Amino acid sequence: MGVTQTHLFTEEQNKIAQMAKAIAHPARIAILQHLIKTNSCINGDLVMEIGLAQATISQHLRELKEAGLIQGSIEGTRVNYCIHPENWTMLRNLFHSFFESYSNCTTPSCT
Amino acid sequence: MGVTQTHLFTEEQNKIAQMAKAIAHPARIAILQHLIKTNSCINGDLVMEIGLAQATISQHLRELKEAGLIQGSIEGTRVNYCIHPENWTMLRNLFHSFFESYSNCTTPSCT
DNA sequence: TTATTTCATTGCAATATTACGATAAATAAA
DNA sequence: TTTATTTATCGTAATATTGCAATGAAATAA
């Protein structure tokens, strides 16, 4: 009990859910938006930008990295992070086709 | 400790994260896809379609309803569920602008 | 009325997430 | 070398999520 039964679902369903989970925290949205804004690949001054502890930011960065949304490169004692372009595009397409699979109508299908 | 500090983030960041969380489970993706596919607003035969217990499906339906992604209408002892058109469009737009805020380039910004 | 059907809710156990202090590891600076 | 800087990891506490059996609630059928 308490563990998601991934075997019940298609690979696509699991993938969409997994990716949604990766961005399902405001801190991770804030990190991504800051990386996009500064472009020039920021490191732990995300700790300053956002008000969370260093360990917490590091943890969120790891989750984003594991999801493939960002990548980091070591530069001395620092680590520069930036968006992972290919994976970002893949995720965008995945969500796009998911949302577009519902052809929008003005009235709901159940009264 | 252990509770998300929403006050640190913008309304938009919290909204995106909240909506991502709503679809961050394969069962909820499966439910949404089945509602889209059948169009004619399905009820608890989602229990048959997906292999989870009735109570579990009901719980996922509630989460989707609370997020505003679906709506239900009572019909006798049954409840018909379908996509909530306006909110679906709103969510699609929210995600679309989030993903488009990163103007894609072929090479990452950090080496 | 008394079943029956359908869905929601409650209560619980197992697991996952969030947050942070403390510490470790690795490099740079003195 | 020693010290400072930066980031990752460990350990822990608080909270949230997932899943299901059991029970409730509400409408229908007999």
Side-chain angles (χ1 to χ4, degrees), chain A residues 13 33 82 89 104 110-111, chain B residues 13 33 73 82 89 104 110-111:
Chain A
Q13 287 163 347
Q33 287 183 332
C82 65
T89 303
N104 206 9
C110 52
T111 31
Chain B
Q13 287 163 347
Q33 287 183 332
S73 74
C82 64
T89 303
N104 206 8
C110 52
T111 31

Side-chain angles (χ1 to χ4, degrees), chain B residues 9-72:
Chain B
F9 309 102
T10 68
E11 236 179 88
E12 193 203 26
Q13 287 163 347
N14 283 316
K15 184 72 179 173
I16 294 174
Q18 183 208 333
M19 284 300 150
K21 190 184 273 184
I23 61 170
H25 194 288
R28 295 198 284 276
I29 299 292
I31 289 173
L32 291 170
Q33 287 183 332
H34 198 256
L35 290 182
I36 291 169
K37 186 180 161 198
T38 58
N39 189 40
S40 56
C41 309
I42 309 304
N43 59 337
D45 60 7
L46 286 159
V47 177
M48 295 291 286
E49 182 70 18
I50 306 168
L52 292 169
Q54 186 267 322
T56 308
I57 295 291
S58 190
Q59 200 175 335
H60 284 302
L61 284 169
R62 186 174 57 177
E63 281 183 65
L64 288 171
K65 203 163 79 178
E66 275 172 0
L69 287 174
I70 65 173
Q71 60 188 130

Side-chain angles (χ1 to χ4, degrees), chain A residues 12-55:
Chain A
E12 193 201 27
Q13 287 163 347
N14 283 317
K15 183 72 179 172
I16 294 174
Q18 184 207 334
M19 283 301 152
K21 189 184 274 186
I23 61 170
H25 194 287
R28 295 198 284 276
I29 299 293
I31 289 173
L32 291 170
Q33 287 183 332
H34 199 256
L35 289 182
I36 291 168
K37 186 181 161 196
T38 58
N39 190 38
S40 56
C41 311
I42 309 304
N43 59 336
D45 61 9
L46 286 159
V47 177
M48 294 292 286
E49 182 71 16
I50 305 167
L52 292 168
Q54 185 267 323

Side-chain angles (χ1 to χ4, degrees), chain B residues 12 16 91-102:
Chain B
E12 193 203 26
I16 294 174
L91 181 57
R92 187 191 58 190
N93 293 342
L94 187 68
F95 274 73
H96 184 262
S97 54
F98 172 65
F99 282 114
E100 289 306 313
S101 68
Y102 174 68

